Amino acid sequence: MARTAPPLIGQPPLAPGSPPLGRDSRTGLVVTGSLVTGLVLALLLVLVVFAGAREHVITGAAMLAFAFGWAMLAVLSMRRTRQPQRWALVPAVGMGIVGAALLVFAPGNGALTTAGWVWPPIVLGLAVWMTIQVRRALKGRSRWLVYPVVLFLAAGAVGGMYESVALAQDRRSNAMPGTSYDVGGYRLHLNCSGSGSPTVVLQSGLGETSPFWSWITPAVGRVTRVCAYDRAGQGWSDDAPHPQDGLQVAADLHTLLGRAGEHGPYVLVGHSTGGTYALTYAARYPADVAGMVLLDSASPYQFTALPEYPGFYSTARRLTALLPSLGRLGVGQLLYSAAGSDLPEPAATQARAFATSARDMRSQRDELSTYHDVFRQSQALSTLDGKPLVVVTATDDALEGWPAAQDRLAALSSNSSHRTAAVTHAALLDQQHGSQISARAIDDLVRSVRTGSPLATQ
């Protein structure tokens, strides 16, 4: 009769089918397979199944995926190994409940920001508890597969605490310049300076807020009145109920200028995608527009005129949708610190505060989701007739097809000046030299409007 070795003192009895004592090769496989499954499932959900979705969907789906990985570790280790990891049920249940709640209740930015004071200490405590449990329950080299995951949880908790503190400090220190006005259920921020006519209205691009114009507004303000504003969900403006297309942005701006008592016709200035918003405004309110300056503006035909853009847009939508969730972990602070800023103070601090917040990242995700409509709607402007138009094209980082698309923009008016600048796209706003080129273009257009003279070509 075959003899079996007695169980070791302190070891639980083996389940049927478990490996012999001293040869627990399945443990490492179970640990590795469970952790990898949770990570791969999370990536599949947020980058493929729910690609480009809103923050609560991205975070909720990722939490459910990680919950599945921890549950898999608990169940398989209890059934297939001699090292049961029952503790893994705790993070599985906790993450599962949180993930389901996010998907069901769809909390907004305010609720998630408030929660930023609650979840980090809980997660940090969980990470410490998990470390203790791993040391007790998981023997051998397999524990070193779990420690990096627990360390990531702890780092995320610390980053979340830092993000909440930094956001609170930014709110106290960054007083709003200018005034906010109700445009129909939410308020938009407008900051005007200078005097004279025509009034210049500045339209920001994706991820830009009113402080990004801080090099340009003083220069233009010495010549005429100039107004920078924040679209809904950006800067000092309130959130809108839903992502806005170009027509809604135009309607908001028209209401904002009217309630602020600003008088047209205006000179519209748009940088990057701000140019397409300016085009839509000009198409909808032509009598309100005296002229236009397009600073390396996006094209209404972006998806067809630029061969690389559809692929870039698809990738950007997927990645940008992840940023709000990562921003809650303090990742935005790290990314912006690496990029730096050449804006003057206090604008540099204000721009950093907005750019690093999960709210700003949500706004970028929402804005990107509307670009097919935004670009299509801007095509409604087929001509500016003889109204002055200056197009400034940055050459240092231009994509294939960009110069031709800029030429097409310049052709919108019979009184246009197309200028090239050996700077990057962003430098036309946030670098002193590039902003001087932009301010000079605006000054030339204002002079053309005042005198009725043709624009000088350069």
Side-chain angles (χ1 to χ4, degrees), residues 71-85:
M72 182 176 171
L73 173 59
V75 172
L76 291 183
S77 66
M78 287 189 288
R79 292 186 176 182
R80 299 297 183 184
T81 78
R82 64 183 178 89
Q83 297 190 54
Q85 306 299 307

Side-chain angles (χ1 to χ4, degrees), residues 299 301 305-306 393 398-411 418:
S299 168
Y301 305 93
L306 277 63
T393 302
L399 298 174
E400 180 185 355
W402 192 259
Q406 297 290 294
D407 287 337
R408 187 170 184 175
L409 288 172
H418 188 184

Side-chain angles (χ1 to χ4, degrees), residues 241-263:
H242 306 287
Q244 296 185 307
D245 62 11
L247 293 175
Q248 184 59 56
V249 169
D252 277 0
L253 179 57
H254 186 260
T255 301
L256 174 65
L257 293 171
R259 294 190 175 176
E262 300 296 334
H263 303 289

Side-chain angles (χ1 to χ4, degrees), residues 60-398:
M63 294 291 283
L64 289 177
F66 294 140
F68 180 84
W70 290 118
M72 182 176 171
L73 173 59
V75 172
L76 291 183
S77 66
M78 287 189 288
R79 292 186 176 182
R80 299 297 183 184
T81 78
R82 64 183 178 89
Q83 297 190 54
Q85 306 299 307
R86 296 181 179 87
W87 60 267
L89 290 173
V90 174
V93 172
M95 292 182 182
I97 291 174
V98 172
L102 288 170
L103 293 176
V104 171
F105 296 106
N109 177 70
L112 292 174
T113 299
T114 301
W117 294 103
V118 178
W119 69 261
I122 294 176
V123 172
L124 185 59
L126 176 64
V128 173
W129 180 83
M130 289 171 66
T131 301
I132 296 172
Q133 299 306 311
V134 170
R135 286 179 60 85
R136 290 176 176 173
L138 190 57
K139 308 301 181 183
R141 289 176 294 181
S142 297
R143 67 171 57 168
W144 296 101
L145 298 173
V146 182
Y147 283 152
V149 180
V150 178
L151 180 62
F152 176 80
L153 284 175
V158 173
M161 293 178 189
Y162 178 77
E163 175 66 19
S164 294
V165 172
L167 187 60
Q169 290 177 338
D170 289 337
R171 285 176 173 173
R172 288 194 297 266
S173 60
N174 290 332
M176 181 184 72
T179 310
S180 66
Y181 300 88
D182 189 297
V183 296
Y186 48 94
R187 302 180 71 86
L188 297 188
H189 164 247
L190 181 71
N191 186 26
C192 299
S193 59
S195 60
S197 179
T199 296
V200 174
V201 179
L202 307 173
Q203 283 269 20
S204 303
L206 178 69
E208 297 167 356
T209 48
S210 53
F212 275 81
W213 296 94
S214 60
W215 285 120
I216 293 175
T217 49
V220 176
R222 289 191 288 268
V223 176
T224 192
R225 188 158 179 79
V226 57
C227 297
Y229 89 108
D230 295 308
R231 291 191 289 276
Q234 299 177 348
W236 286 283
S237 291
D238 291 346
D239 295 337
H242 306 287
Q244 296 185 307
D245 62 11
L247 293 175
Q248 184 59 56
V249 169
D252 277 0
L253 179 57
H254 186 260
T255 301
L256 174 65
L257 293 171
R259 294 190 175 176
E262 300 296 334
H263 303 289
Y266 310 104
V267 168
L268 301 182
V269 180
H271 176 249
S272 190
T273 50
T276 54
Y277 290 117
L279 294 172
T280 300
Y281 187 97
R284 187 164 185 182
Y285 307 104
D288 284 357
V289 179
M292 190 177 298
V293 178
L294 299 177
L295 302 174
D296 215 34
S297 170
S299 168
Y301 305 93
Q302 194 99 330
F303 284 97
T304 55
L306 277 63
E308 301 174 17
Y309 189 76
F312 167 81
Y313 175 77
S314 178
T315 301
R317 276 210 66 189
R318 284 173 166 80
L319 297 181
T320 303
L322 305 181
L323 292 181
S325 302
L326 295 175
R328 306 287 176 188
L329 306 178
V331 173
Q333 305 287 342
L334 296 176
L335 294 177
Y336 198 86
S337 296
S341 171
D342 288 313
L343 294 170
E345 291 292 351
T349 298
Q350 295 166 344
R352 179 205 57 77
F354 292 132
T356 57
S357 69
R359 177 178 183 261
D360 184 87
M361 297 170 188
R362 287 167 64 100
S363 175
Q364 291 187 51
R365 177 267 158 203
D366 289 351
E367 189 167 320
L368 270 171
S369 72
T370 67
Y371 271 9
H372 281 284
D373 290 333
V374 167
F375 293 150
R376 176 181 51 79
Q377 290 161 352
S378 67
Q379 296 172 16
L381 184 70
S382 59
T383 180
L384 282 169
D385 297 319
K387 294 177 182 178
L389 166 67
V390 177
V391 174
V392 180
T393 302
T395 59
D396 281 6
D397 53 359

